[in-house]
Amino acid sequence: MKLKNIKLIVSDMDGTLLNSNHQLPSNFEEIYKLLEAQNIKFVAASGRQYYSIIDKFEHFTNNITIVAENGAFITSNTTEIAVHKIPKAKLNSIISFIRTIPNTYLVLCGKKQAYIEQHDAHFVSFFKEFYNAYQIVDDVLSMEDDFFKIALFNPNGAEENIYPHLSAFTSEFQIKVSGYYWVDVMQLNINKGTALEQLQTIWHISKEETLVFGDYLNDLELFKQATYSVAMENAHSAIKGLATYQTKSNDENGVVDFIQKNILE
């Protein structure tokens, strides 16, 4: 199988491009340069914080397009393309409610940094992998920043233990299960798919010229915005059901394996 006319490749990070140790494939830099040589753009699209994503691409910081915070913050070559803020007035009621959800940790994601109220050592240790810039505060609502997203973590699973509690807020916010432990709350109609659509418009690239990779429910809109979509072997069943193709797991470097076999000459 050879996919021709691909001009844009978009990949999720955790569970997709990164392995279980949160590392890029060892040959990613080589693959990236080969894509550049063929004028194929590569975009990293993640629920992660911008600073956390950039840290993974330390050799490409000035030459890569990043969709961070599940589509709420887009940059290309370090230049801001889009900032989708949540008005602070909208945060009060939902954050007050979130604090009542059992065993759930709150992260308020801002442009400067992320803010948490918990001092729990196990949570902070896990959280730091996804948020390089953060501050522990008494009240996240007392902070001044441009806020993109509320990220919620539950150690017993997000789909069962967070998402059902938030049904009353679905008319006001985009609420998305973004990983086994995580639920993300953002502005309505902001997701990885809307971010991809914006980039396609800027670059004059069609859905038929776009290939995407993903593994979890926050990648659903991304898959709908591309003609060619690839689910990881370790992907959620809903993602596999929507995908055009399937590749090896993230721990088997499924993204670069698929690109090598089907895109690069």
Side-chain angles (χ1 to χ4, degrees):
M1 175 182 64
K2 200 74 174 176
L3 294 178
K4 297 184 178 181
N5 303 319
I6 295 297
K7 295 181 180 179
L8 172 59
I9 296 175
V10 185
S11 179
D12 171 53
M13 295 284 284
D14 295 281
T16 303
L17 184 61
L18 303 180
N19 63 24
S20 295
N21 293 319
H22 310 291
Q23 299 166 327
L24 285 171
S26 59
N27 63 337
F28 179 78
E29 185 171 358
E30 173 191 349
I31 296 299
Y32 184 86
K33 288 178 179 177
L34 289 171
L35 291 172
E36 274 194 315
Q38 295 192 28
N39 294 315
I40 299 172
K41 295 181 181 294
F42 182 90
V43 175
S46 176
R48 280 178 176 255
Q49 180 187 56
Y50 169 79
Y51 303 105
S52 173
I53 302 171
I54 282 295
D55 184 61
K56 300 297 181 185
F57 296 100
E58 55 182 334
H59 300 302
F60 313 95
T61 301
N62 296 318
N63 194 31
I64 193 167
T65 299
I66 301 291
V67 173
E69 309 284 12
N70 273 332
F73 187 39
I74 310 171
T75 65
S76 187
N77 303 339
T78 70
T79 299
E80 289 184 12
I81 291 178
V83 179
H84 299 288
K85 299 183 291 184
I86 302 174
K88 195 169 182 182
K90 290 184 65 175
L91 294 172
N92 293 304
S93 61
I94 191 168
I95 287 180
S96 295
F97 177 80
I98 286 166
R99 288 170 174 154
T100 70
I101 302 175
N103 209 27
T104 294
Y105 297 83
L106 162 71
V107 183
L108 184 55
C109 307
K111 187 176 179 182
K112 297 176 189 174
Q113 58 187 337
Y115 305 91
I116 59 175
E117 297 172 341
Q118 300 86 359
H119 293 262
D120 181 275
H122 294 291
F123 170 69
V124 172
S125 176
F126 183 80
F127 155 87
K128 285 165 62 176
E129 167 58 36
F130 307 96
Y131 295 90
N132 290 26
Y134 73 95
Q135 184 178 352
I136 302 175
V137 299
D138 293 328
D139 178 7
V140 295
L141 289 171
S142 68
M143 298 297 105
E144 293 298 329
D145 203 338
D146 291 334
F147 298 113
F148 302 129
K149 186 183 76 178
I150 305 165
L152 306 175
F153 170 88
N154 189 297
N156 299 316
E159 195 168 356
E160 302 83 8
N161 298 293
I162 301 176
Y163 187 79
H165 291 277
L166 298 174
S167 58
F169 295 94
T170 54
S171 62
E172 297 180 71
F173 296 95
Q174 168 94 274
I175 299 173
K176 183 67 66 175
V177 179
S178 59
Y180 180 79
Y181 300 106
W182 295 97
V183 165
D184 288 342
V185 180
M186 300 181 298
Q187 284 279 63
L188 279 177
N189 302 317
I190 299 301
N191 53 60
K192 292 182 185 180
T194 58
L196 173 54
E197 184 178 16
Q198 188 167 356
L199 291 172
Q200 288 168 326
T201 300
I202 292 170
W203 292 333
H204 304 289
I205 294 175
S206 68
K207 288 184 178 182
E208 293 75 22
E209 296 167 323
T210 304
L211 171 69
V212 301
F213 293 86
D215 77 306
Y216 225 79
L217 298 176
N218 61 329
D219 297 318
L220 285 170
E221 292 87 357
L222 190 67
F223 276 34
K224 293 174 182 177
Q225 193 56 35
T227 296
Y228 304 104
S229 55
V230 186
M232 311 305 292
E233 185 180 303
N234 51 286
H236 191 286
S237 59
I239 287 293
K240 288 182 177 179
L242 191 62
T244 316
Y245 306 105
Q246 187 171 317
T247 189
K248 296 176 182 178
S249 75
N250 62 317
D251 285 325
E252 298 174 289
N253 297 332
V255 171
V256 295
D257 181 74
F258 188 93
I259 291 172
Q260 283 177 306
K261 290 177 180 177
N262 302 292
I263 302 296
L264 296 174
E265 298 175 356

